[in-house]
Amino acid sequence: MVASPKAKKATPAPASPPAAAAAAGGPPVPISAPLTAEAAGNLGILPASHWQQAQGEDTADDTDDTASTIGSVLSSTASLSQSIFEYRNILGRTYHSDVGNAEAWQPNDVRHAEAMDIFHHLNTLILRKAKIQKAVDIGTGTGIWAIDFADEFPDAEVIGTDVSPIQPTWVPANVKFEIDDLNREWTWPDNTFDYIHSRSLIGVVQDWEEFYRQAFRCCTPGGYVEDVANSVKVFSLDGTVEEGSALDQWGKVFFEGGNKFGRTFKIVEDDIHRKCMEKAGFVDIVIKDILVPVGAWPRDKTKQELGIWAKVAVESDLEGYVNYIWGLVLGWTPEEISTYCAALRRELKDTRIHGMYTTRVAYARKPE
């Protein structure tokens, strides 16, 4: 990182985020006013207008054929209540309907579904394979992890949950999808799953202590919980990701957006997994950090493959990743977002810039 309703005409960026939600046909989002220039400067965040002023400084061709051989992954939606498909339209992109306390910031349309599947492929290149009998995938997205897992372990029961019904209907017999909000009380009985898996929940979970409290309750004694999180902070080890660059700003803007949104993006930076797993009662906590390059710059072929997939995953729907947080929460206009994205694309394809981010794999065991 499917069938989708026809997108409505893009809504112009409003003066305030709550007004934007109402204009888009969804409920008001409890978000404070956009940052002042002084407050943004104190956080090291450049004003949105900076990218329009800098646009003429670098007119390099933005075209790139990196993803020319990547096939589209399309799925049809599950047969569920029609109300679930009444998606909200925000700045020209669709988002999940009203489900519990959910406020997922990533779009649920076809373009972003493909981006999520690309990220899934990237993660399969990084992560180990688990050997589990009964599993649940919290925040399943397109359902690709749950489907792959069910294919690999046909005797296992696999459940995938999400607030958007964008999963396919043709799935292995041992997998099923449920509409559920992970921020609400989990409805499964105690000791239900021996493996609770999640990934890419940055900016989604309201209360990570509560998340792991519920995971502990639903996990069988001796079972495992695992989460995979990609940090939004992009950096370099050699100084080529310069302060004030588009790559440098990526994490800073997301961090502040999370603060205003009430759902943190600093899962890796604040060591959320270790603290919350331990408080919930899990033991044998393991934290593994993997540095993932962004772009084709590494000389090592294995790392270069990861870098290319990371670049493709982001570029496949760059606007989709920033649209909600940067536009609705922080008040950037569509034009400002577009100009920033153009600057970021130029940096992503520049092999002189050695950007990378951290993928954290965290897992722990419930005592027997």
Side-chain angles (χ1 to χ4, degrees):
M1 176 126 279
V2 179
S4 172
K6 184 177 181 181
K8 301 177 183 178
K9 185 176 180 181
T11 304
S16 65
V29 180
I31 302 165
S32 57
L35 285 178
T36 64
E38 180 180 1
N42 291 336
L43 293 167
I45 298 175
L46 296 171
S49 58
H50 166 83
W51 304 105
Q52 292 177 308
Q53 295 168 358
Q55 186 175 19
E57 297 177 7
D58 184 359
T59 57
D61 181 16
D62 291 338
T63 59
D64 190 317
D65 63 355
T66 303
S68 60
T69 60
I70 307 298
S72 297
V73 182
L74 300 176
S75 303
S76 58
T77 54
S79 177
L80 298 167
S81 172
Q82 184 60 34
S83 64
I84 297 297
F85 295 97
E86 294 176 358
Y87 298 149
R88 294 176 294 165
N89 185 283
I90 299 174
L91 301 179
R93 303 297 293 273
T94 61
Y95 294 79
H96 66 83
S97 60
D98 297 327
V99 178
N101 299 320
E103 197 62 57
W105 56 273
Q106 296 191 48
N108 64 3
D109 48 32
V110 173
R111 181 179 176 188
H112 203 70
E114 293 176 359
M116 287 190 289
D117 281 350
I118 293 172
F119 255 118
H120 166 74
H121 179 72
L122 169 65
N123 286 333
T124 62
L125 297 175
I126 301 172
L127 306 175
R128 63 178 176 80
K129 291 184 179 293
K131 302 295 182 183
I132 305 297
Q133 291 296 313
K134 187 171 183 177
V136 62
D137 184 25
I138 305 294
T140 193
T142 64
I144 191 172
W145 183 92
I147 293 170
D148 283 355
F149 190 91
D151 273 334
E152 186 172 355
F153 303 103
D155 294 329
E157 178 185 351
V158 184
I159 297 175
T161 71
D162 206 279
V163 293
S164 285
I166 59 174
Q167 302 80 33
T169 53
W170 291 95
V171 297
N174 58 322
V175 65
K176 64 178 180 178
F177 298 110
E178 300 176 355
I179 298 298
D180 199 9
D181 177 12
L182 59 84
N183 288 311
R184 285 183 141 184
E185 187 71 22
W186 295 9
T187 57
W188 300 294
D190 295 356
N191 307 322
T192 298
F193 301 103
D194 57 6
Y195 181 40
I196 298 175
H197 174 265
S198 58
R199 68 203 183 287
S200 301
L201 295 184
I202 55 173
V204 174
V205 177
Q206 280 183 311
D207 186 339
W208 279 96
E209 288 188 6
E210 175 65 9
F211 178 90
Y212 280 113
R213 182 193 70 79
Q214 299 207 67
F216 188 87
R217 179 183 65 80
C218 294
C219 189
T220 60
Y224 282 82
V225 62
E226 179 181 51
D227 184 65
V228 182
N230 296 319
S231 172
V232 293
K233 181 179 180 180
V234 182
F235 61 95
S236 61
L237 300 177
D238 57 4
T240 52
V241 174
E242 298 180 354
E243 184 174 355
S245 65
L247 284 168
D248 169 69
Q249 289 289 294
W250 179 265
K252 291 179 179 177
V253 180
F254 265 116
F255 286 160
E256 179 57 22
N259 289 338
K260 296 176 74 65
F261 192 41
R263 291 166 167 81
T264 184
F265 282 84
K266 292 185 176 180
I267 297 177
V268 173
E269 291 71 19
D270 290 344
D271 203 20
I272 295 291
H273 295 107
R274 190 188 311 275
K275 295 174 182 176
C276 296
M277 286 177 172
E278 187 175 64
K279 188 169 185 178
F282 287 103
V283 297
D284 299 337
I285 299 171
V286 176
I287 306 292
K288 295 183 178 181
D289 286 342
I290 304 164
L291 296 184
V292 183
V294 185
W297 59 265
R299 292 183 179 180
D300 177 83
K301 293 300 182 181
T302 300
K303 293 180 179 179
Q304 186 181 75
E305 182 184 11
L306 293 180
I308 289 174
W309 277 105
K311 175 176 176 288
V312 171
V314 173
E315 287 184 328
S316 60
D317 192 16
L318 185 52
E319 288 80 4
Y321 285 113
V322 305
N323 186 57
Y324 195 99
I325 297 295
W326 300 38
L328 188 67
V329 177
L330 296 177
W332 286 39
T333 68
E335 292 76 20
E336 289 168 337
I337 290 175
S338 178
T339 305
Y340 167 80
C341 288
L344 185 62
R345 287 189 178 94
R346 287 194 292 270
E347 293 184 14
L348 285 172
K349 75 173 187 176
D350 188 342
T351 55
R352 296 170 298 179
I353 301 175
H354 303 158
M356 61 182 66
Y357 65 90
T358 302
T359 287
R360 171 161 291 185
V361 183
Y363 59 93
R365 182 177 61 85
K366 181 176 178 177
E368 298 186 43

